């Protein structure tokens, strides 16, 4: 578990974590990590989305340090994920 964020209206929970990639890229055989944010509807507890922030393969620095943080902005209309880079997601 890398991060937790609750939307302003307390309707969504964002959970950031590193998800292992076991197969690796086709033909390389290298495993990796995939910083991912899972969105849950708080009321029902059901997962409503899976946002893949990035993918890293092999044992390089990115593989070892790749994480993900999540924050809701603008009253829950946007989700900002950050790790080695930053992405902005529109929450619909």
């Amino acid at each position: 578990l890398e991060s937790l964020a609750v939307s302003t209206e307390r309707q969504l929970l964002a959970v950031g974590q590193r998800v292992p990639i076991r197969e690796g890229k086709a033909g390389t055989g290298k495993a990796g990590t995939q910083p991912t944010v899972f969105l849950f509807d708080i009321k029902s507890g059901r997962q409503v989305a899976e946002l893949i922030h990035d993918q890293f393969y092999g044992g390089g620095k990115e593989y070892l340090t790749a994480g993900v943080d999540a924050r809701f902005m603008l009253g829950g209309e946007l989700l900002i994920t950050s790790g080695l880079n930053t992405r902005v997601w529109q929450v619909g």
Side-chain angles (χ1 to χ4, degrees):
L1 181 66
E2 298 278 324
S3 65
L4 291 173
V6 177
S7 66
T8 307
E9 301 82 23
R10 301 188 184 276
Q11 293 177 348
L12 293 174
L13 172 68
V15 178
Q17 68 182 60
R18 296 181 212 195
V19 176
I21 302 171
R22 289 177 174 52
E23 308 87 41
K25 285 184 178 179
T28 67
K30 291 184 179 180
T33 189
Q34 182 171 278
T36 304
V37 175
F38 299 93
L39 291 180
F40 294 90
D41 177 84
I42 292 176
K43 196 171 196 174
S44 70
R46 292 176 38 184
Q47 181 180 324
V48 295
E50 179 178 327
L51 307 171
I52 299 171
H53 177 77
D54 221 332
Q55 293 181 332
F56 301 100
Y57 295 92
K61 180 180 176 185
E62 295 88 3
Y63 175 78
L64 298 174
T65 61
V68 64
D69 188 29
R71 296 285 180 254
F72 286 97
M73 303 294 289
L74 295 176
E77 291 180 27
L78 298 178
L79 179 69
I80 311 297
T81 59
S82 60
L84 295 176
N85 55 46
T86 301
R87 296 186 190 275
V88 179
W89 309 82
Q90 185 171 355
V91 179

